[in-house]
Amino acid sequence: MADIALGVHRRGHLRAIGLATLGFGLFSAGDAVMKIMAGGYPLPQAVFFNALFSLIPIIGMALWSGGLRQLGTRRPGLHLLRAILGLVTGYAGYFAFARMPMADVYAILFTAPLVITLLSALLFGERVDVRRWLAVLAGFAGVLVMNRPSAAGIINVGAVGAAVCALCYAASALIIRHKGQTEHALTFPFYANLLALPVLGGFLPSVYVAPSFEDFALTAVGGVLSGVALTCLLTAFRNAPSPVIAPFQYSQILWGVLFGALLFGDWPEPKLAVGLALVIGSGLYLLRREAAESAD
């Protein structure tokens, strides 16, 4: 019986890993669409429609898994804070994609586990041992290798946007970890995308550029892909522990290189590989330590 239970447990984890890998791939496809749209349309407009169409799969999953009552909440303040962070995360990320190769943006976004460790110590008093601090420093050293200023001392503003995205994502993740256990997982992306509509919609009258039918359809596809990706990841994290799923986010670098080369002619520079090795290595170490502590 124990062997049967272990087999079922492993198969559940494998399904969750498959869903997560699919979700990360779909996120990358949605990011590629946003990069295309941001090249021809104002960013507030592109992000507004991405949020609008992302709501379709999220609401669909709520209906399929138990009804819209799952989207209700008694903690509007928590969701407002999380939604603001989510809006800044998405906007800053797409700002970065519009100005940098996709692989370079992902390399900076992969610092999120490092930022989570740092903020956990500073804001929540969590104990971080010396080896974790060394891993954090090594990861940030990798970012400096990848994004060192030019000879003129100019820093890529896209890199700043990606760093803001990673910071806000980490803060958002910590809020959910420490304050959001009583809320249904779907409520967080639902309210974040919902908040984006009135906030960014307020800019539309002054920046709106009428899209062609093809571009509007592509925008809709990109938003739906992002929403489906999110539902895949929520399901994956519900069926396997975070340390099992999280490392597969690094598969996005493969999609970033592929989409960047095929769609935008962006080929990664050698320094990206060096810095990325430091960032991913540090992130995997921190995830491994988290898994070990969870097991204890």
Side-chain angles (χ1 to χ4, degrees), residues 167-224:
L167 175 62
C168 291
Y169 172 83
S172 177
L174 284 173
I175 287 174
I176 295 173
R177 177 194 294 180
H178 289 274
K179 304 294 184 182
Q181 298 91 335
T182 60
E183 299 296 294
H184 193 283
L186 281 172
T187 58
F188 293 103
F190 173 73
Y191 288 113
N193 283 284
L194 197 64
L195 178 69
L197 300 184
V199 172
L200 296 175
F203 292 95
L204 289 187
S206 59
V207 303
Y208 185 76
V209 175
S212 65
F213 174 80
E214 292 80 6
D215 284 351
F216 187 77
L218 186 60
T219 300
V221 169
V224 170

Side-chain angles (χ1 to χ4, degrees), residues 140-154:
F140 287 132
V143 174
L144 293 177
V145 169
M146 292 182 291
N147 297 280
R148 61 181 181 269
S150 66
I154 299 173

Side-chain angles (χ1 to χ4, degrees), residues 17 20-21 24 110 113 237 241-253 280 283-288 291:
I17 289 170
T21 304
F24 289 129
F110 290 162
F237 279 106
S242 176
V244 172
I245 300 300
F248 290 89
Q249 182 177 2
Y250 296 125
S251 65
Q252 285 190 286
I253 197 64
I280 292 180
L284 289 175
Y285 174 78
L286 293 172
L287 288 168
R288 181 183 176 187

Side-chain angles (χ1 to χ4, degrees), residues 203-282:
F203 292 95
L204 289 187
S206 59
V207 303
Y208 185 76
V209 175
S212 65
F213 174 80
E214 292 80 6
D215 284 351
F216 187 77
L218 186 60
T219 300
V221 169
V224 170
L225 285 175
S226 297
V228 172
L230 194 55
T231 61
C232 287
L233 291 178
L234 288 173
T235 304
F237 279 106
R238 192 166 53 195
N239 289 280
S242 176
V244 172
I245 300 300
F248 290 89
Q249 182 177 2
Y250 296 125
S251 65
Q252 285 190 286
I253 197 64
L254 302 177
W255 292 110
V257 171
L258 180 63
F259 288 140
L262 295 180
L263 299 178
F264 309 105
D266 295 327
W267 294 93
E269 298 180 17
K271 66 177 182 179
L272 179 68
V274 177
L276 191 61
L278 287 170
V279 172
I280 292 180
S282 301

Side-chain angles (χ1 to χ4, degrees), residues 44-59:
Q45 177 179 332
V47 179
F48 172 89
F49 284 107
N50 182 269
L52 176 64
F53 289 109
S54 291
L55 283 170
I56 296 174
I58 294 170
I59 294 173

